[in-house]
């Protein structure tokens, strides 16, 4: 038997300064959707997420709370586990950077860099943003971090540098030869321009930091947290411990990240990988940032979208749907409460929920809940409308264009609702001579719903399951493309009509 192709997708590993917020939920949901989708398409998916637990940021946050970094991490990591469970996230692994399996590999990587002559001791003097754990360009005045706006701190110490400058041309070749490496393309251009403008060697150790991984060859020096964190993508899949497993997964198919951490993923990471003899990931996709009702979300304003609260009010599926439908993946967007409400009522309750509910109600009414043969009319306009669905949706999903995939699926939902209006089953039902036409109409509507249960699965797993239950369908075991072939619903199926999938909200 041919083995299944591998698909390896990751999220950033999140800082444990605080529990998950909508920004983290966004990346994680997006990764979950592509993971579920590729599983549906027959891939052997590995979906990795986790937590970033070392560094000054965590050390300080713990101190402020009167905790040790270990205590802080342990309490917060639990909240990530709970949140991902609630949001129906199907990661295959969850890595924390303080696990032994990771720390060992961080040391292994630094040893390789050292042995290769890619590290040297030098003097670092410059500005540092603790919140972003990043170095800030030279400046005479005390600068604010260009990324988060917080005041930078002066930092001067002896440290190890990674010879990053040496990899400048290599990075430029990567961007030029593999333009899909960074997406969207506008982000690729940004990174390319920055690298072309010149890069400097990177300070990768500190002696003043306690909460970090010590260098094996010079334990007074501890690893810079960003290098430590990036290594999670390879430590978790067996680099340095299980070559076969590692070779099967690497290079990763997609690192999903926010635009604020692109430099680390699209410049530092491929340079490090090249230095240790590994290929870069196939794709780094940087999504945009959300504001909330037109304002930047911040602790001081206390205006973070709370994913839990949205899930309480509208359901987990609706949260997942809204985040992916509202804005094209890659662009910035505004989370407007009114827009969530509107999309819920019109697209979920109205278009999809209503299609399912009225179809199954009519099936009960006209056929005692038993799906009839599409007598005399095996295909029809819905079969035709569904024919190119797979190809279209698959293209958008492979490009991580979730909103476009959903648009395409909704075209079909709306086409199906129009079909109800065109056929008017309630009129056909009055004429005994139109019994066959009615049967075909109802069969085709039920079949359209079966198709939809498959297509909405990755974004709305609960709704998908609810639809399948009402159609008395087992879990689908075929690959998506085959399962979507028109006519899969067996006539004679006894449906089990349930409550509306998405009850309307005032
Ligand atoms: N620990 C690093 C990542 C290391 S990966 C090797 C980190 N963690 S984080 O917890 O601060 O943030 C993780 C992600 O949340 C980032 O991708 C960031 O873009 C995302 N978001 C944080 N706020 C956001 C919004 N308001 N909107 C969308 N995403 C945002 O960075």
């Amino acid at each position: 038997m041919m083995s299944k192709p591998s698909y390896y997708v990751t999220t950033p590993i999140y800082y444990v300064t605080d529990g998950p917020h909508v920004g983290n939920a966004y990346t994680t949901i997006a990764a979950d959707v592509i993971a579920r989708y590729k599983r549906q398409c027959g891939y052997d998916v590995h979906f990795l997420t986790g937590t970033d637990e070392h560094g000054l940021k965590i050390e300080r946050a713990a101190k402020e709370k009167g905790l040790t970094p270990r205590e802080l991490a342990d309490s917060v990591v639990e909240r990530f586990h709970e949140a991902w469970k609630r949001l129906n996230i199907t990661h295959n692994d969850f890595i924390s950077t303080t696990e032994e399996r990771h720390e060992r590999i961080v040391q292994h990587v630094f040893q390789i860099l050292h042995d290769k002559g890619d590290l040297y001791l030098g003097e670092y003097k410059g500005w540092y943003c603790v919140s972003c754990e990043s170095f800030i360009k030279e400046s005479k005045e005390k600068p604010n971090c260009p990324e988060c706006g917080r005041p930078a701190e002066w930092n001067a110490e002896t440290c190890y540098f990674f010879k990053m400058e040496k990899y400048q041309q290599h990075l430029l070749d990567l961007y030029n030869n593999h333009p899909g490496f960074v997406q969207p393309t506008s982000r690729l251009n940004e990174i390319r321009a920055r690298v072309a403008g010149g890069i400097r060697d990177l300070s990768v150790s500190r002696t003043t930091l306690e909460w970090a991984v010590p260098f094996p060859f010079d334990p007074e020096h501890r690893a810079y947290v960003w290098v430590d964190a990036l290594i999670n993508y390879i430590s978790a899949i067996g680099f340095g411990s299980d070559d076969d497993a590692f070779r099967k997964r690497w290079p990763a198919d997609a690192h999903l990240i926010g635009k604020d951490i692109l430099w680390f993923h699209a410049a530092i990471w491929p340079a490090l990988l090249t230095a240790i003899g590994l290929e870069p990931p196939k794709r780094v996709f940087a999504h945009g940032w959300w504001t909330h009702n037109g304002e930047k979300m911040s602790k001081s304003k206390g205006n973070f979208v709370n994913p839990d609260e949205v899930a309480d009010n509208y359901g987990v599926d609706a949260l997942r749907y809204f985040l992916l439908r509202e804005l094209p993946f890659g662009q910035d967007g505004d989370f407007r409460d009114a827009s969530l409400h509107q999309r819920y009522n019109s697209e979920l309750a109205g278009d999809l929920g209503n299609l399912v509910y009225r179809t199954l109600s009519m099936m009960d009414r006209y056929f005692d809940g038993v799906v009839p043969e599409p007598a005399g009319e095996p295909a029809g306009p819905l079969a035709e409308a569904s024919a190119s669905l797979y190809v279209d949706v698959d293209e958008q999903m492979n490009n991580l264009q979730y909103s476009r995939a959903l648009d395409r699926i909704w075209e079909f939902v709306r086409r199906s609702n129009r079909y109800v209006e065109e056929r008017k089953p309630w009129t056909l039902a009055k004429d005994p001579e139109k019994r066959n036409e009615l049967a075909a109409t109802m069969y085709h509507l039920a079949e359209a719903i079966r198709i939809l249960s498959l297509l909405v699965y990755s974004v709305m797993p609960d709704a998908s399951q609810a639809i399948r239950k009402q159609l008395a369908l087992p879990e689908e075991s075929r690959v998506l493309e085959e399962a979507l072939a028109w006519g899969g619903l067996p006539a004679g199926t006894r449906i089990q009509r349930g409550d509306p999938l998405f009850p309307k909200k005032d």
Side-chain angles (χ1 to χ4, degrees):
M1 214 173 77
M2 284 262 288
S3 66
K4 290 177 172 183
S6 164
Y7 191 87
Y8 176 32
V9 57
T10 66
T11 72
I13 48 173
Y14 304 110
Y15 289 128
V16 286
T17 34
D18 225 327
H21 58 72
V22 71
N24 313 148
Y26 183 47
T27 328
T28 309
I29 288 170
D32 185 60
V33 171
I34 194 65
R36 284 174 181 269
Y37 179 77
K38 295 306 270 188
R39 286 188 198 112
Q40 259 189 312
C41 293
Y43 284 73
D44 174 10
V45 170
H46 193 71
F47 168 15
L48 175 70
T49 188
T51 44
D52 189 354
E53 303 188 347
H54 287 129
L56 204 51
K57 181 182 170 94
I58 309 296
E59 201 175 272
R60 288 208 189 147
K63 208 171 196 172
E64 272 170 33
K65 294 188 164 87
L67 300 171
T68 63
R70 179 73 272 144
E71 286 166 344
L72 175 65
D74 286 345
S75 67
V76 176
V77 78
E78 227 7 79
R79 288 162 61 194
F80 278 95
H81 283 297
E82 279 162 21
W84 300 158
K85 191 168 172 209
R86 166 122 212 239
L87 298 183
N88 280 328
I89 304 301
T90 56
H91 49 283
N92 301 90
D93 194 4
F94 186 109
I95 191 161
S96 294
T97 50
T98 52
E99 285 175 57
E100 198 266 339
R101 63 165 171 158
H102 173 74
E103 291 186 342
R104 201 155 42 85
I105 302 307
V106 172
Q107 294 193 320
H108 178 55
V109 167
F110 276 105
Q111 188 68 54
I112 301 175
L113 293 172
H114 182 64
D115 294 347
K116 203 181 159 199
D118 267 359
L119 298 180
Y120 63 91
L121 267 177
E123 213 49 52
Y124 180 80
K125 276 200 194 84
W127 296 97
Y128 191 76
C129 171
V130 177
S131 180
C132 298
E133 296 277 20
S134 72
F135 301 97
I136 292 170
K137 270 216 185 116
E138 277 160 58
S139 138
K140 292 214 177 63
E141 301 291 311
K142 185 177 160 92
N144 287 334
C145 170
E147 203 52 66
C148 71
R150 293 186 180 83
E153 293 180 17
W154 183 251
N155 175 221
E157 61 181 299
T158 302
C159 65
Y160 281 91
F161 283 88
F162 163 57
K163 294 184 179 167
M164 179 139 160
E165 198 185 334
K166 173 173 151 188
Y167 295 97
Q168 181 186 25
Q169 191 52 47
H170 187 88
L171 290 175
L172 292 172
D173 292 345
L174 169 65
Y175 307 145
N176 292 333
N177 299 336
H178 302 277
F181 171 63
V182 176
Q183 288 174 341
T185 308
S186 56
R187 301 270 171 228
L188 173 73
N189 296 336
E190 264 172 47
I191 291 287
R192 183 177 14 221
R194 186 165 160 192
V195 170
I199 51 179
R200 290 186 312 177
D201 291 345
L202 180 71
S203 157
V204 290
S205 79
R206 277 194 137 177
T207 50
T208 51
L209 180 66
E210 286 281 309
W211 187 239
V213 181
F215 280 12
F217 48 86
D218 190 350
E220 280 204 357
H221 286 264
R222 288 170 186 265
Y224 171 40
V225 61
W226 260 104
V227 175
D228 170 0
L230 288 163
I231 292 170
N232 94 86
Y233 299 131
I234 56 174
S235 69
I237 54 163
F239 179 68
S241 65
D242 182 344
D243 286 348
D244 286 345
F246 181 72
R247 259 197 304 272
K248 183 169 158 213
R249 298 294 181 198
W250 195 258
D253 292 273
H255 287 329
L256 305 195
I257 59 165
K259 63 177 183 176
D260 52 317
I261 55 176
L262 185 59
W263 178 252
F264 302 96
H265 285 83
I268 296 178
W269 184 223
L272 283 167
L273 286 166
T274 309
I276 62 172
L278 295 179
E279 278 179 73
K282 290 182 199 152
R283 171 157 62 159
V284 175
F285 197 111
H287 66 66
W289 269 49
W290 289 95
T291 51
H292 186 200
N293 294 327
E295 288 188 33
K296 194 171 176 219
M297 289 183 264
S298 75
K299 270 202 192 131
S300 52
K301 285 194 201 121
N303 65 341
F304 275 97
V305 175
N306 180 346
D308 251 339
E309 212 173 280
V310 176
D312 286 344
N313 293 338
Y314 292 92
V316 169
D317 276 353
L319 169 67
R320 294 171 59 110
Y321 174 81
F322 180 74
L323 287 173
L324 296 183
R325 182 74 189 271
E326 179 73 357
L327 91 133
F329 203 56
Q331 294 181 19
D332 290 329
D334 189 26
F335 191 111
R336 277 181 300 123
D337 299 347
S339 174
L340 167 66
H341 190 82
Q342 202 260 330
R343 282 197 188 272
Y344 177 90
N345 273 339
S346 75
E347 291 159 16
L348 295 181
D351 298 335
L352 178 62
N354 195 29
L355 174 68
V356 173
Y357 192 75
R358 65 176 170 168
T359 298
L360 297 189
S361 304
M362 290 188 286
M363 196 69 87
D364 268 346
R365 199 170 319 134
Y366 306 135
F367 293 97
D368 293 325
V370 179
V371 177
E373 291 280 352
E377 200 184 333
L382 292 187
E384 217 171 276
S386 80
S388 63
L389 266 171
Y390 173 73
V391 173
D392 295 350
V393 169
D394 192 56
E395 184 188 345
Q396 302 300 352
M397 290 300 281
N398 286 326
N399 291 329
L400 303 176
Q401 286 308 309
Y402 306 100
S403 61
R404 290 205 197 139
L406 286 167
D407 280 341
R408 181 66 186 86
I409 296 167
W410 249 250
E411 263 176 39
F412 184 67
V413 174
R414 293 189 177 125
R415 179 68 194 88
S416 303
N417 275 320
R418 266 204 328 276
Y419 180 74
V420 178
E421 305 304 326
E422 289 162 10
R423 288 298 184 110
K424 297 191 178 43
W426 48 91
T427 311
L428 298 176
K430 287 184 192 134
D431 183 349
E433 286 190 8
K434 300 262 169 76
R435 190 70 186 160
N436 276 353
E437 217 178 300
L438 178 65
T441 302
M442 292 315 302
Y443 179 87
H444 292 143
L445 283 168
E447 174 63 357
I449 292 173
R450 182 190 71 86
I451 300 273
L452 285 166
S453 76
L454 297 166
L455 290 173
V456 302
Y457 163 79
S458 58
V459 177
M460 298 193 285
D462 287 340
S464 166
Q465 208 192 5
I467 296 172
R468 297 186 70 79
K469 196 167 159 223
Q470 296 190 38
L471 288 177
L473 289 169
E475 204 177 306
E476 182 56 68
S477 57
R478 291 166 297 177
V479 295
L480 185 62
E481 187 176 9
E482 275 170 40
L484 286 176
W486 190 261
L489 181 67
T493 299
R494 174 167 291 282
I495 59 139
Q496 302 154 16
R497 181 157 64 94
D499 293 331
L501 294 176
F502 302 98
K504 261 219 160 47
K505 305 261 177 217
D506 295 333

